[in-house]
Amino acid sequence: MAATAISHLRRGAQRHALLCLSLSRRRFSATAASPIAAAARRLLSTTADTGTSSSGEQYKPPPFDPFRAATLSPSAPPLESPPIGDEPPSSPPPPEEAVASEAAHEQATLACQEVELEGLKAGVEAVKSREESPEEKEAWWLLGRAVVNYCGSAVGTVAANDPSTSQMLNYDQVFIRDFVPSAIAFLLKGESDIVKNFLLHTLQLQSWEKTVDCYSPGQGLMPASFKVRSVPLDGNSEAFEEVLDPDFGESAIGRVAPVDSGLWWIILLRAYGKITGDYALQERVDVQTGIRLILNLCLSDGFDMFPTLLVTDGSCMIDRRMGIHGHPLEIQALFYSALRCAREMIGVNDGSKNLIRAINNRLSALSFHIREYYWVDMKKINEIYRYKTEEYSHDAINKFNIYPEQIPSWLADWIPVKGGYLIGNLQPAHMDFRFFSLGNLWAIVSSLATQRQAEGILNLIEAKWDDIVANMPLKICYPALEYEEWRIITGSDPKNTPWSYHNGGSWPTLLWQFTLACIKMGRRDLARRAVEVAEKRLSDDKWPEYYDTRTGRFIGKQSRLYQTWTIAGYLSSKMLLDCPEMASILICDEDFELLEGCACSLNKSARTKCSRRAAKSQVLV
Ligand code: GLC
């Protein structure tokens, strides 16, 4: 195993060196002093949330998305075509005016990038010169202590560093999802090397061949976590070499494949590029191939009737049985976000045209599906309550054959008059009405939810503060599964008892995602309130992984202490709140072109109405 590991690393290193030589290319050509840059500066000057107002303020989206893939340099070397769709017939060369206008557009785009980069660099300086509270100082010290080194460089942070327990299980590993808030904290502070190393090393792990009982997961899967191990060098018991040993789920409790890892990796890659201006990293052939492998895995055809990703239970932050198999919101929101980010980063060339088309089609179908079918508020629940069932036709109103009796008794009283949310899951004859925080928050951040829905979600959190925040932000989901439901759905899981851990426990790491969503929607007042609640307890409680009870009063029964993503989530929230314009490295704004493009072309069929109009009306309502 060690020998395989080392030979793999060597192969990776050779590949890496060759690619570096062939691809070192700078993307910025326009200077900030040019007229185009000045125009771009004017455009972007309206976009920054200056951090002066507190409540009701609005993060303003840029008038157009300056980082669309279509404007990336067409000189990027062609990559192998993905197995998506048929090659279209080759088209005649574009007329001269079209080439000129594309070049002008590209120049303007580069100028905008440069302006945004300048703003972000100023933001990093502002973050560095901030006065830190004693809690923040302690958190930075703890985050530094969690850093993992590999061959002399920092490559990630351990999940937890809890000296009070010898039962570390796999918490001594670097988890991909757990590292994201650490990475954001480091990036905001101008410490980007660790993030770059993490991105490149996890990329090398992507191609490892791992098997579970003689079966290998799909190519492109990113590990859930990895560990640095020392192995004897070529059989010599005195000399040791470090190797990275990934876990794709083959040793994880429950053996679940982490679908979210690759999605997080793409989201982080974009954030890294935006804040550092090091676009050369995402343009490297190995990085482009990595993006493509992840997307191929997500976009490959299956038996699905829905544009949402079909996954097993436990394939994300909730990594054990909790009844979220199927099409859980969390995965769909991260999927949407990763597709948006990837589209900005994929080099446009003949080899990537099909992939970009597939991404666009999926984005528009996915956003329509989630906006239309996952959204519930008072009005919608009342509609469901009066649904007719067993409708066999193309015009069925109750498309998924939901029996109204499914509406849980808690929901009728709980749903506020103002606001609503995206449900946890949708399957034939099944709506999971539980409220899942991460999916709803990330739907806001990525613009998977409409502006109106995003406002509604935050209104609901405000109205239901005592259920979702109470003594510790934020509940992972609401409400908990109890009694028979708990027994059947979790398999009597003693870790997921009602109001504990994944089953309605409170996870302080979700604070940074809440902060991002609040900044995007101009509701920093809410995020500040939540940070204040957390700040009162986290340091005294030794930065726990999660809290238990209906109102988050107790430190979780089996909670680790000094949990890194609790620490990093708190730090990131504090910095983002003080410098809210930095949130743009993770946010995606509404893409109106996507709503124009009808993915399914159903309008050509007399059978069904096109979803495009409906999708557009979603934005306008
Ligand atoms: C738990 C969490 C998972 C996290 C891991 C490491 O398994 O459910 O989301 O990544 O711990 O912190």
Side-chain angles (χ1 to χ4, degrees), residues 27 34 78 91 101 114 123 148 193 199 212 271 283 383 407 415 428 501 614:
R27 240 164 131 213
S34 72
S91 42
S101 102
E114 193 154 303
V148 170
D193 285 355
L199 288 166
V212 179
E283 288 172 359
E383 255 169 50
I407 298 176
I415 191 84
Y501 201 47

Side-chain angles (χ1 to χ4, degrees), residues 81-244:
S81 237
I84 292 166
D86 295 328
E87 233 0 283
S90 58
S91 42
E96 263 171 42
E97 311 94 76
V99 174
S101 102
E102 206 175 288
H105 188 228
E106 183 173 332
Q107 218 189 342
T109 302
L110 292 173
C112 284
Q113 274 181 347
E114 193 154 303
V115 172
E116 192 191 29
L117 181 62
E118 264 177 40
L120 288 169
K121 290 214 158 125
V124 170
E125 289 313 311
V127 166
K128 281 188 192 160
S129 56
R130 281 174 69 241
E131 183 76 36
E132 284 169 353
S133 65
E135 289 85 0
E136 282 176 89
K137 287 193 179 125
E138 185 197 347
W140 272 115
W141 182 81
L142 291 167
L143 189 61
R145 197 183 66 158
V147 167
V148 170
N149 286 299
Y150 169 65
C151 297
S153 324
V155 292
T157 47
V158 281
N161 214 333
D162 183 353
S164 71
T165 174
S166 54
Q167 278 225 313
M168 279 313 281
L169 300 173
N170 51 354
Y171 283 84
D172 59 352
Q173 306 215 3
V174 179
F175 277 75
I176 309 299
R177 71 174 77 84
D178 292 43
F179 181 68
V180 176
S182 297
I184 302 306
F186 286 124
L187 287 176
L188 294 175
K189 234 342 188 16
E191 295 171 29
S192 57
D193 285 355
I194 183 172
V195 181
K196 182 175 181 176
N197 294 338
F198 169 88
L199 288 166
L200 289 174
H201 283 297
T202 44
L203 179 67
Q204 290 196 348
L205 298 177
Q206 183 187 33
S207 47
W208 272 49
E209 280 164 24
K210 283 275 184 166
T211 57
V212 179
D213 296 342
C214 311
Y215 185 73
S216 317
Q219 208 197 0
L221 185 70
M222 281 282 183
S225 59
F226 65 85
K227 194 178 166 75
V228 179
R229 290 190 199 282
S230 274
V231 294
L233 189 59
D234 295 333
N236 180 340
S237 58
E238 272 156 36
F240 287 87
E241 188 175 27
E242 285 183 340
V243 293
L244 293 181

